[in-house]
């Protein structure tokens, strides 16, 4: 399976795990609340000024209580699910594999030592054919098993970078001298793309991330090669 972003998209990309699906649901829920507030305020203002009923709200304690309590309820409606989502993203679980992603100017390198030593360097591939993703293809993809939990330890060798994969709901800063970790998983096989999401220099736009999720068999075959 092949999942990619395309030009003209107006919504978030499809989620490939529980966290990314929850992020998309939270995004759509928040947008619905914003549209509801916008339409309600515009409609109420129109009818109040048209019929001059706003004069009745001068020094009106009940009205002041309503427009004080309503925003609080809306904040709770957005805050409770968002904090639940943040807790789910930060909770630590068992991982099947551990890989280290290191940001450089301007490419990524990956190191894995759980089974055998596996080190690759991933540069942007500028020679793309028709149907390939411009500025997103790399010469060496990171191949991982799907339906598994992988702990990514992210750091940088020079300046600030950010390792981000929208389909997986993943975005974590790569800070020099510091190790940040995040759990990555996908319930589907496929190729997923991202880009460095922290301005890191003149070639920041040419630092893509490409991860392919396949079977454990293909993962072991890739290690042996």
């Amino acid at each position: 399976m092949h999942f990619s972003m395309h030009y003209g998209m107006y919504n978030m990309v499809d989620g490939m795990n529980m966290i990314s699906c929850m992020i998309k649901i939270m995004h759509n829920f928040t947008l619905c609340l914003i549209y509801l507030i916008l339409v309600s305020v515009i409609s109420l203002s129109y009818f109040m000024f048209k019929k001059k009923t706003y004069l009745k709200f001068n020094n009106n304690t009940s009205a002041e209580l309503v427009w004080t309590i309503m925003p609080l309820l809306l904040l709770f409606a957005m805050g409770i699910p968002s904090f639940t989502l943040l807790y789910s993203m930060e909770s630590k679980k068992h991982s099947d594999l551990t890989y280290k992603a290191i940001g450089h100017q301007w490419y990524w390198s990956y190191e894995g030592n759980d089974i055998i030593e596996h080190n690759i360097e991933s540069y942007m591939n500028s020679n793309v054919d028709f149907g390939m993703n411009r500025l997103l293809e790399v010469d060496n993809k990171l191949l991982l098993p799907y339906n598994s939990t992988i702990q990514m330890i992210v750091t940088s060798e020079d300046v600030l970078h950010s390792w981000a994969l929208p389909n997986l709901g993943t975005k974590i800063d790569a800070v020099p001298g510091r190790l940040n970790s995040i759990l990555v998983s996908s319930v589907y096989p496929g190729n997923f793309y991202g880009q460095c999401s922290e301005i890191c220099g003149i070639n920041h736009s040419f630092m893509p991330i490409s991860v392919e999720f396949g079977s454990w068999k293909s993962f072991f075959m890739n290690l042996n090669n």
Side-chain angles (χ1 to χ4, degrees):
M1 299 179 72
H2 183 83
F3 300 91
S4 63
M5 297 167 281
H6 58 83
Y7 294 106
M9 288 187 68
Y10 60 89
N11 202 352
M12 297 180 68
V13 295
D14 294 330
M16 296 296 117
N17 55 31
M18 185 185 70
I19 294 296
S20 56
C21 290
M22 289 173 63
I23 291 173
K24 188 171 184 177
I25 292 171
M26 183 64 199
H27 169 266
N28 294 338
F29 171 69
T30 306
L31 275 183
C32 289
L33 280 181
I34 292 172
Y35 291 146
L36 178 63
I37 294 169
L38 183 63
V39 171
S40 300
V41 170
I42 292 175
S43 302
L44 186 61
S45 301
Y46 173 77
F47 287 111
M48 286 177 63
F49 281 94
K50 183 179 180 180
K51 298 183 179 181
K52 296 185 178 181
T53 54
Y54 62 90
L55 298 174
K56 299 179 182 179
F57 291 97
N58 289 338
N59 300 319
N60 191 316
T61 305
S62 299
E64 291 178 1
L65 282 174
V66 169
W67 65 56
T68 301
I69 294 174
M70 285 298 294
L72 288 175
L73 294 177
L74 289 171
L75 285 175
F76 275 109
M78 291 187 291
I80 293 174
S82 65
F83 279 116
T84 304
L85 176 58
L86 284 172
Y87 177 79
S88 300
M89 294 173 67
E90 294 295 330
S91 62
K92 300 301 180 183
K93 303 175 184 177
H94 168 74
S95 59
D96 301 301
L97 288 172
T98 300
Y99 264 85
K100 185 178 182 181
I102 306 171
H104 310 263
Q105 288 183 311
W106 288 271
Y107 67 97
W108 293 94
S109 63
Y110 301 97
E111 300 176 359
N113 296 295
D114 283 357
I115 302 172
I116 60 173
E117 186 174 351
H118 181 225
N119 302 328
I120 61 172
E121 292 182 347
S122 183
Y123 291 84
M124 188 187 76
N125 185 3
S126 56
N127 299 318
V128 294
D129 297 325
F130 180 77
M132 299 177 71
N133 296 286
R134 180 176 174 268
L135 301 182
L136 291 176
E137 300 290 348
V138 297
D139 55 357
N140 291 312
K141 295 181 180 180
L142 177 63
L143 180 61
L144 298 173
Y146 74 100
N147 274 335
S148 304
T149 303
I150 296 91
Q151 182 184 30
M152 295 298 301
I153 299 174
V154 183
T155 187
S156 171
E157 193 180 66
D158 35 53
V159 298
L160 283 175
H161 300 281
S162 185
W163 198 78
L165 285 168
N167 285 103
L168 306 182
T170 299
K171 183 182 182 298
I172 185 167
D173 289 339
V175 183
R178 178 175 175 177
L179 298 177
N180 293 329
S181 67
I182 193 169
L183 295 179
V184 175
S185 64
S186 174
V187 296
Y188 298 104
N191 300 321
F192 306 110
Y193 299 95
Q195 289 178 306
C196 176
S197 299
E198 189 74 38
I199 296 177
C200 55
I202 190 171
N203 288 328
H204 161 69
S205 301
F206 308 106
M207 194 174 168
I209 301 162
S210 181
V211 178
E212 180 179 351
F213 282 86
S215 64
W216 276 98
K217 181 179 179 180
S218 60
F219 172 72
F220 284 119
M221 289 177 61
N222 182 64
L223 288 182
N224 293 329
N225 293 333

